[in-house]
Amino acid sequence: MKSLLGGKGANLAEMSRVGLSVPPGFTVTTSTCASYHDNARTIPPSAWDEMLAGVAHIEREMGFGFGDAGEPLLVSVRSGAAVSMPGMMDTILNLGLNDDVVEGLAVKSGSARFAYDSYRRLLDMYGSVVMGIEREKFERALTAFKATVGVSRDEDLSESDLRGVCDAYKAIYAEENLSFPQDPYEQLRLATHAVFDSWQSDRAKKYMAINQIVGVRGTAVNVQAMVFGNMGQTSGTGVLFTRNPSTGENVLYGEYLVNAQGEDVVAGIRTPEDISTMERALPDAYADLVRNTQILEREYGDMQDIEFTVQESKLYMLQCRSGKRTGAAAVKIAVDLVNEGACDERRAITLVEPTHVDQLLHPQFKSEESYKANVIGTGLPASPGAAVGRVVFCTEDAEAAKARGEPSILVRAETSPEDVGGMNASEGILTARGGMTSHAAVVARGWGKPCVSGCGDISIDEHAKTFTLGGVTVKQGDWISLNGSTGQVILGAAELAVATQSEYLETFMSWVDKFRTMRVLANADTPADAAASRANGAEGIGLVRTEHMFFGTGERIRAVRRMILAKDTPTRKSALDDLLPYQREDFTGIFKAMSGLPVTVRLLDPPLHEFLPEGGVDEVCQVLSEDTGESEEDIAECIEKLAEVNPMLGFRGCRLAITFPEIAEMQVRAIMEAACDAKRDGADPVPEIMIPLVGTVEELKQQTTLVRAVTSKVFAERGMEIAYKVGTMIEIPRAALLADEISAHADFFSFGTNDLTQMTFGYSRDDVGKFLPSYIEKGILKYDPFEVIDRKGVGKLVTMTVDAARSTPTSTVQKCGVCGEHGGDPQSIEFFQQSGLDYVSCSPFRVLIARLAAAQAAVKGEDAAK
């Protein structure tokens, strides 16, 4: 239902089905939104006819008339996409009021103040959302009016005052050469247009891009009878989570306002009360609310985010959806729900997103004592975690800081959906206004970003780009830190410490591994990385990049440079003899750390120029002359010979080993001697050698022959044998196209999706940043193909290769996997699961994420098959 009715519409239907008190209404489908955009922003006539029938249905249910001043019916118009996008699209409340109906509502309700309070809200929301008037103009007019009559709070405005506010708002329309439509049906038509248009708004597009939301056709529109939280002290409105979304604790977590409407809470304009105090203020409604939260958790088997209104002590449920939560809360909630019998383990692993697990790996502050003296203020702990960065005051500056690789903290009086880009670009968010369920808090928690909201003591001067708090003035570019778990604002860059994992994580990951069918390995180049990978649950190493063992300073890099600049084979072998002990030592440590698990070592891959120092020619020649003893003139000549027009397509990978076989011979010897040493010391090494950049069958045959010859020699010298495999990276499109032939000479295939993507698209990884943002913005590409696998092109090569490896009679390939960066991306992992790959390999710190993504992909695949 969600794909057609949107999340909100589907959940409203479900709440109605289970008997909760939901105001009557109807949903305009997401397909109507798609038709609207496909047909020059026009609602199809048949859809409009159905909307009119829907209004008639609400009139019958409520006993009121839309546009009827005697028995006035007002409606809300709310967005609702299939995927939760809090605050990104538009809502209009109190629709149906006009100059006549407001008088009728005053008589019917017995409160002219309530009627005109509702009217000024409609004029404000309709003007900004539908007519495109700047919201600040209404805010300024309201602030000025309150100052004139001598009140500070909206609720202190009298009926007469509110009439004056409505007149002031109408004057704003007139200044813009606009007029507020008096026909309620025209209001409904244009409001529906506005909600549909908000699907294409910059903020919605940016949110979808940030969260990689694709394949959603549009937003639904939910039209419901209005219920009123602004009818006095027995009315109110609120937002709550059925559990604490920051910690996962099983207590109601939320806020409400007496005598208010829903936007007052989530917009952060007024600071609301904690939901726990509602039991005293509105006891009957609170009891109903608690009962409804329990029903909804049982119904959905998940923590819910709920919006509600109380009208004259009667509770109405306006919305429920799966609540945004932090990583720590997500894992705890999943485990608790299973222990409580609310869901099973299979359902539980779908409640935690891979990004949640990523959050658990983020650092926290070293200790409160380490920064206590620098605390300058405290707000609400809206989203937990530690954030350190330089102060910025707008989205543009936050995004510019991110582009420079500089961490920032976004400081705002209050955030709005327009700030979504800055919130994403920053490390954390600090706001002067807003509560625990404000826009800033909800979005920040969903993204795992620390947020301190409602810091009432802060004074922000956005024009001067400064803020003052605790007697300290902080300007743009100064360092501050936020403790989102305590609400503390800290002057300077507080010291961070390594993250500690949730106590519930081990239990949760044991469930994950029950459902996972694809193995998860790690890309690791050192014994320390190997040990960290194993601790995170890696089932082997899918890629050891031997070139990483050469980088840095000291004798290793000097020996590599001697090897590169050697004029003849004996000189080159001498340098390689110096490198062999280093390689052997590293491989031995890795085999021991991964005892019993496969370790796939890729032979030397990058172009040789990457091992040369950076700088001007003279400077480089001087350094190399000191390292090698060669003259600077000879070195300059050699560097000139090494120069390539496109090094990534040049002299690298197996081409190096074929031209200079002594390089591969040294590496194979080091690998196999290390395996023998590890076995002698009691470990169980499982070596696998991977040949890089193969594009022809002959290349692989030549290299496989070399590997087996050197291995036989080492085993004879050591008097022992160890089972091993020889395979290749599939990273050149030609290798994928000839996979049926190549598969006869390999024990395994490992996709190097970084290069495969580069060569398939013809995009240079180093230069793609110059045009890729424009491509994504214009819809030419949906994602960065180096982050998320391109299923149509690169993916087709992957599936073609796997099919050939599995179906060709002469194939000797025993397993197929991925060792490129895509191996740690959840969306890519889902594709690899569908493609039948045996494993993915990723960085050590993405192993937990990949394990969860693989399990969720397996479950999703089973469900699709059913």
Side-chain angles (χ1 to χ4, degrees):
M1 280 205 303
K2 280 188 177 182
S3 62
L4 186 64
L5 301 181
K8 189 175 296 182
N11 290 340
L12 284 168
E14 185 66 12
M15 286 195 293
S16 298
R17 187 189 68 78
V18 298
L20 303 189
S21 181
V22 177
F26 61 89
T27 298
V28 185
T29 64
T30 57
S31 58
T32 305
C33 178
S35 297
Y36 169 85
H37 288 291
D38 290 341
N39 292 284
R41 299 175 61 246
T42 302
I43 298 175
S46 59
W48 178 246
D49 291 341
E50 291 185 55
M51 289 179 67
L52 296 179
V55 172
H57 161 75
I58 300 174
E59 289 178 321
R60 289 192 299 272
E61 290 289 313
M62 297 295 290
F64 300 143
F66 191 52
D68 184 344
E71 297 286 345
L73 169 68
L74 306 186
V75 299
S76 62
V77 178
R78 298 173 184 265
S79 61
V83 179
S84 177
M85 296 170 58
M88 291 304 109
M89 287 172 293
D90 290 324
T91 292
I92 301 98
L93 305 179
N94 304 307
L95 204 83
L97 281 172
N98 57 27
D99 292 347
D100 294 330
V101 173
V102 69
E103 295 293 345
L105 182 64
V107 173
K108 184 70 178 177
S109 66
S111 172
R113 188 201 177 281
F114 153 70
Y116 276 92
D117 181 50
S118 299
Y119 198 20
R120 66 98 182 172
R121 292 171 184 272
L122 173 60
L123 289 167
D124 181 341
M125 295 185 79
Y126 199 92
S128 58
V129 171
V130 181
M131 311 298 279
I133 302 171
E134 290 182 18
R135 188 73 177 267
E136 288 75 12
K137 292 188 176 183
F138 296 108
E139 284 295 318
R140 287 196 296 269
L142 180 62
T143 301
F145 200 94
K146 287 191 290 187
T148 300
V149 300
V151 302
S152 59
R153 303 185 306 166
D154 296 359
E155 54 264 42
D156 292 332
L157 292 167
S158 67
E159 170 207 334
S160 176
D161 295 335
L162 289 166
R163 287 178 183 266
V165 172
C166 289
D167 289 339
Y169 283 3
K170 289 177 184 176
I172 293 173
Y173 279 79
E175 290 170 4
E176 300 283 333
N177 294 317
L178 298 169
S179 60
F180 175 74
Q182 294 291 308
D183 179 359
Y185 286 96
E186 181 69 0
Q187 293 176 18
L188 177 61
R189 185 180 65 82
L190 293 179
T192 304
H193 284 198
V195 174
F196 282 159
D197 286 340
S198 68
W199 176 252
Q200 298 284 1
S201 67
D202 289 342
R203 65 176 185 265
K205 288 179 179 177
K206 184 165 288 189
Y207 186 92
M208 287 187 276
I210 291 168
N211 292 277
Q212 297 184 343
I213 297 170
V214 295
V216 183
R217 299 192 66 194
T219 180
V221 174
N222 299 286
V223 180
Q224 276 184 284
M226 278 294 299
V227 288
F228 302 97
N230 58 328
M231 292 188 71
Q233 296 305 303
T234 60
S235 302
T237 187
V239 176
L240 68 84
F241 296 81
T242 54
R243 298 175 189 240
N244 187 314
S246 293
T247 66
E249 184 182 4
N250 189 7
V251 294
L252 294 186
Y253 176 100
E255 299 164 320
Y256 78 103
L257 283 167
V258 169
N259 195 21
Q261 288 195 341
E263 290 299 301
D264 296 344
V265 178
V266 297
I269 296 169
R270 289 172 56 187
T271 301
E273 300 291 327
D274 188 272
I275 196 70
S276 61
T277 65
M278 183 179 163
E279 187 172 12
R280 294 193 302 273
L282 301 167
D284 293 340
Y286 183 78
D288 283 345
L289 183 62
V290 171
R291 180 179 61 83
N292 284 353
T293 61
Q294 293 168 348
I295 291 171
L296 289 173
E297 271 211 352
R298 288 197 302 272
E299 186 70 23
Y300 287 101
D302 190 13
M303 181 262 276
Q304 295 295 296
D305 172 0
I306 294 168
E307 292 182 20
F308 66 91
T309 285
V310 179
Q311 179 177 312
E312 297 179 313
S313 298
K314 179 173 175 56
L315 174 72
Y316 291 92
M317 303 294 284
L318 303 184
Q319 175 176 307
C320 76
R321 60 188 174 193
S322 176
K324 300 291 185 184
R325 65 206 77 179
T326 66
V331 173
K332 181 181 186 324
I333 288 169
V335 173
D336 286 348
L337 287 172
V338 171
N339 292 339
E340 294 164 15
C343 72
D344 58 18
E345 295 172 0
R346 181 188 179 89
R347 165 70 172 153
I349 68 168
T350 68
L351 301 181
V352 179
E353 300 170 7
T355 52
H356 286 144
V357 177
D358 187 33
Q359 290 174 32
L360 296 178
L361 307 177
H362 290 174
Q364 302 294 319
F365 289 122
K366 188 172 183 181
S367 69
E368 187 172 356
E369 288 300 319
S370 67
Y371 65 74
K372 192 173 183 180
N374 296 321
V375 174
I376 57 174
T378 304
L380 299 174
S383 182
V388 177
R390 294 184 183 273
V391 170
V392 296
F393 292 90
C394 65
T395 286
E396 292 75 16
D397 289 341
E399 292 179 332
K402 185 175 182 179
R404 295 192 301 269
E406 189 175 272
S408 66
I409 302 292
L410 179 64
V411 180
R412 302 285 286 157
E414 65 195 29
T415 63
S416 71
E418 279 70 27
D419 295 316
V420 62
M423 296 172 72
N424 178 63
S426 61
E427 300 298 311
I429 302 126
L430 170 62
T431 69
R433 296 194 291 270
M436 304 288 279
T437 54
S438 64
H439 173 264
V442 172
V443 173
R445 277 196 298 271
W447 286 346
K449 289 184 181 290
C451 176
V452 174
S453 65
C455 186
D457 294 333
I458 195 172
S459 175
I460 301 173
D461 186 338
E462 294 185 3
H463 179 72
K465 295 192 173 182
T466 64
F467 75 80
T468 302
L469 181 63
V472 177
T473 296
V474 180
K475 63 183 183 298
Q476 175 143 323
D478 288 348
W479 287 90
I480 66 168
S481 305
L482 301 179
N483 189 332
S485 304
T486 64
Q488 293 166 308
V489 182
I490 304 151
L491 188 65
E495 188 176 359
L496 295 171
V498 176
T500 55
Q501 293 183 359
S502 160
E503 60 184 295
Y504 297 89
L505 187 59
E506 185 176 352
T507 298
F508 177 77
M509 293 307 296
S510 70
W511 300 342
V512 164
D513 291 337
K514 286 183 184 179
F515 296 96
R516 179 167 55 84
T517 58
M518 194 162 50
R519 288 185 298 138
V520 175
L521 283 64
N523 299 340
D525 310 318
T526 67
D529 283 349
S533 302
R534 190 159 194 163
N536 284 335
E539 298 165 288
I541 293 180
L543 177 63
V544 177
R545 292 158 290 205
T546 54
E547 61 272 10
H548 285 202
M549 299 172 172
F550 299 150
F551 292 134
T553 59
E555 181 54 35
R556 292 189 183 206
I557 192 63
R558 286 194 287 269
V560 171
R561 289 169 180 169
R562 289 198 301 274
M563 181 264 291
I564 294 172
L565 299 172
K567 295 179 179 178
D568 51 46
T569 301
T571 307
R572 188 176 302 107
K573 284 186 174 180
S574 175
L576 290 168
D577 287 344
D578 292 338
L579 281 173
L580 189 147
Y582 296 118
Q583 292 255 279
R584 183 173 57 225
E585 179 185 0
D586 287 341
F587 293 140
T588 302
I590 292 172
F591 285 134
K592 288 181 177 180
M594 302 304 290
S595 179
L597 298 176
V599 173
T600 305
V601 182
R602 182 180 68 188
L603 300 183
L604 191 63
D605 182 49
L608 294 177
H609 78 277
E610 291 191 7
F611 298 103
L612 300 180
E614 296 181 356
V617 174
D618 292 341
E619 179 186 358
V620 169
C621 290
Q622 182 180 352
V623 171
L624 292 177
S625 179
E626 293 170 359
D627 276 355
T628 63
E630 299 287 338
S631 70
E632 292 185 25
E633 291 77 12
D634 288 347
I635 289 171
E637 182 181 350
C638 185
I639 290 175
E640 186 177 348
K641 291 178 180 178
L642 285 173
E644 295 182 88
V645 174
N646 190 337
M648 294 309 293
L649 298 179
F651 192 31
R652 54 173 286 224
C654 66
R655 301 159 195 169
L656 277 172
I658 290 171
T659 307
F660 301 127
E662 55 270 21
I663 296 176
E665 288 169 355
M666 180 278 289
Q667 289 200 294
V668 174
R669 174 170 285 278
I671 294 166
M672 291 309 178
E673 287 184 351
C676 292
D677 289 347
K679 184 175 181 180
R680 179 200 61 206
D681 293 342
D684 179 17
V686 185
E688 300 182 348
I689 295 177
M690 185 156 62
I691 312 300
L693 218 70
V694 164
T696 70
V697 176
E698 289 72 20
E699 286 173 323
L700 182 59
K701 287 170 65 175
Q702 198 274 353
Q703 287 292 280
T704 301
T705 300
L706 181 150
V707 169
R708 298 198 185 283
V710 173
T711 298
S712 297
K713 189 179 297 184
V714 171
F715 288 168
E717 293 168 358
R718 293 299 186 98
M720 65 172 70
E721 290 193 3
I722 296 170
Y724 68 96
K725 290 183 172 67
V726 183
T728 186
M729 286 187 85
I730 302 296
E731 51 191 328
I732 293 178
R734 191 176 193 275
L737 295 171
L738 297 180
D740 55 343
E741 297 179 32
I742 291 175
S743 65
H745 305 280
D747 296 328
F748 64 87
F749 281 164
S750 179
F751 291 95
T753 53
N754 303 343
D755 269 347
L756 188 59
T757 298
Q758 180 171 240
M759 296 185 188
T760 301
F761 273 97
Y763 294 166
S764 164
R765 278 183 287 165
D766 298 327
D767 300 317
V768 72
K770 295 175 183 177
F771 62 86
L772 190 61
S774 176
Y775 269 41
I776 292 174
E777 180 183 344
K778 294 177 179 178
I780 295 171
L781 292 175
K782 292 180 178 178
Y783 306 120
D784 179 343
F786 292 102
E787 293 182 2
V788 180
I789 193 76
D790 162 49
R791 298 191 181 198
K792 285 189 175 181
V794 179
K796 183 177 287 188
L797 292 174
V798 170
T799 54
M800 178 191 306
T801 303
V802 173
D803 290 345
R806 300 252 167 88
S807 61
T808 303
T810 56
S811 173
T812 57
V813 172
Q814 301 167 34
K815 61 179 181 177
C816 296
V818 169
C819 63
E821 287 301 311
H822 297 98
D825 171 65
Q827 290 192 61
S828 303
I829 288 171
E830 180 182 347
F831 171 76
F832 297 142
Q833 172 78 27
Q834 295 169 358
S835 300
L837 268 66
D838 300 293
Y839 69 89
V840 293
S841 188
C842 58
S843 70
F845 300 103
R846 299 191 83 183
V847 167
L848 289 168
I849 297 169
R851 286 165 63 193
L852 175 58
Q856 291 176 339
V859 168
K860 187 175 181 179
E862 290 176 7
D863 291 343
K866 291 176 184 177

